[in-house]
Amino acid sequence: MSARHTEVLIIGSGPAGYTAAIYAARAMLKPVLIAGLEQGGQLMITTDVENYPGFGDPIQGPWLMEQMLKQATHVGAEIVNDLVTEVELNHRPFTVRTDSGQVWMVDTLIIATGAKAKWLGLESEQHFQGFGVSACATCDGFFYRNKDVIVVGGGNSAVEEALYLSNIAKSVTVVHRRDSFRSEKILQERLFQRPNVSVLWNTEVAEITGKPAKAPMPPSVEGVKLRNTETGAVTERPIDGIFVAIGHAPATELFKGKLKMKPNGYLWTAPDSTATDVPGVFAAGDVTDDTFRQAITAAGLGCMAALEAERFLAGIQPVAVAAE
């Protein structure tokens, strides 16, 4: 299989990747997007989406990603259903190898491989994902107005999710397997001041219960079984929704030792830019954004990456890309 050349190669097919493809294609750069194993990213397991601008009624996550794919293809991006297995970034053009054996010679690279929420690993959790089990309060909290919810976790993410939900839900119960939080003290103090928030220490989720899918109704969460980590005792309580907040893992394995990373494993980018510490390599979306992790911010970063790649190819350096 002979090597192929492209001016812009995009790795990843979430909002960041598709948006980068749309902008690069409209700049006549003929971008190639390698979709990966999970085409569409995290929105493929998201049901109702109400916070993506431009739609009067809730839309489905998979439908939104289908529309982004169609738009990218329509304006001229080439979508390749393959998986990147190796990248060489020590000189340009960069070399990208895929699972099919294809070798790409790349002038600029946009990394949009995203991040995944860490889950509890329960079979029942998988069954109810998107139907009462969520990993994003900002995305799905709106659907739990005046309802009872649980947040699982003990770090900053969990406390921040609980604080956010306390303004929406009737009650918020934080379930943590240890006897103290790992989060910042100021966040804990704010949480303990909320009258509708309670904490269950030394507790873990053993099982999520609810109604199975029965056409035309989808499955729905109705309760949870909780296990005391000290005594092993299991109790049950009714609940409307569960938010798993035990962290995210960015998809950065390919780039370890090749690109500068933040202490938490996300890709480092220059301030106000998507430029990494390797000139010509850009990172967009959840693979670098460890703060907001929203579809709309990922799309915005994808736009930035394509514009910066275009400027780089034209010999324009808008920002200093050297690592600090």
Side-chain angles (χ1 to χ4, degrees):
M1 189 180 294
S2 59
R4 290 187 58 188
H5 171 265
T6 182
E7 288 189 288
V8 180
L9 186 87
I10 301 159
I11 307 176
S13 56
Y18 283 141
T19 305
I22 290 165
Y23 272 80
R26 296 186 76 251
M28 308 304 291
L29 295 175
K30 298 180 180 178
V32 172
L33 182 150
I34 300 180
L37 289 176
E38 298 180 2
Q39 192 161 342
Q42 293 185 78
L43 276 176
M44 296 303 289
I45 58 169
T46 303
T47 51
D48 289 346
V49 176
E50 286 191 330
N51 57 1
Y52 199 90
F55 302 95
D57 297 315
I59 57 175
Q60 298 295 299
W63 178 86
L64 178 60
M65 300 318 300
E66 180 185 351
Q67 297 305 304
M68 288 190 187
L69 168 60
K70 288 180 178 179
Q71 186 174 0
T73 304
H74 173 74
V75 294
E78 179 182 350
I79 311 298
V80 178
N81 292 316
D82 206 345
L83 176 70
V84 173
T85 56
E86 185 182 355
V87 295
E88 296 175 12
L89 307 178
N90 51 348
H91 60 82
R92 294 181 63 240
F94 308 120
T95 303
V96 174
R97 292 182 170 85
T98 68
D99 187 59
S100 68
Q102 182 66 59
V103 177
W104 295 88
M105 306 307 295
V106 180
D107 293 333
T108 59
L109 180 65
I110 296 175
I111 300 166
T113 48
K116 282 187 178 181
K118 296 178 182 177
W119 297 99
L120 301 173
L122 302 172
E123 185 177 339
S124 55
E125 174 189 53
Q126 286 188 323
H127 181 70
F128 291 108
Q129 272 184 25
F131 302 101
V133 175
S134 172
C136 180
T138 311
C139 310
D140 300 325
F142 181 78
F143 302 111
Y144 296 90
R145 288 168 294 176
N146 300 316
K147 293 185 177 182
D148 301 308
V149 299
I150 277 177
V151 174
V152 183
N156 280 351
S157 294
V159 174
E160 288 170 355
E161 296 271 274
L163 284 168
Y164 179 85
L165 289 164
S166 69
N167 296 315
I168 300 171
K170 177 183 176 183
S171 73
V172 179
T173 303
V174 182
V175 173
H176 186 37
R177 59 184 178 179
R178 297 187 176 89
D179 59 1
S180 62
F181 287 134
R182 304 184 310 279
S183 62
E184 297 171 12
K185 294 296 183 183
I186 190 170
L187 290 176
Q188 296 184 40
E189 290 172 6
R190 290 174 186 168
L191 187 73
F192 295 144
Q193 291 172 2
R194 298 293 168 96
N196 62 336
V197 175
S198 59
V199 181
L200 291 177
W201 304 110
N202 301 311
T203 303
E204 62 185 7
V205 175
E207 185 182 351
I208 299 164
T209 60
K211 291 181 180 177
K214 188 175 182 180
M217 300 301 293
S220 60
V221 168
E222 291 187 330
V224 64
K225 293 182 180 179
L226 301 171
R227 180 188 299 113
N228 186 289
T229 57
E230 294 185 324
T231 66
V234 175
T235 58
E236 296 186 41
R237 70 162 54 196
I239 207 74
D240 298 303
I242 296 175
F243 291 83
V244 180
I246 56 176
H248 285 73
T252 56
E253 283 292 329
L254 277 173
F255 314 104
K256 287 183 177 178
K258 299 176 182 180
L259 291 172
K260 182 181 179 183
M261 297 187 181
K262 303 175 188 177
N264 58 6
Y266 287 74
L267 292 181
W268 176 92
T269 54
D272 302 317
S273 171
T274 64
T276 68
D277 63 316
V278 174
V281 179
F282 305 89
D286 287 9
V287 75
T288 183
D289 175 14
D290 55 351
T291 303
F292 300 105
R293 293 193 294 262
Q294 300 297 302
I296 188 64
T297 51
L301 287 167
C303 164
M304 289 170 59
L307 294 176
E308 289 190 287
E310 180 187 4
R311 292 173 67 87
F312 180 87
L313 290 167
I316 303 169
Q317 290 285 84
V319 295
V321 298
E324 294 173 346

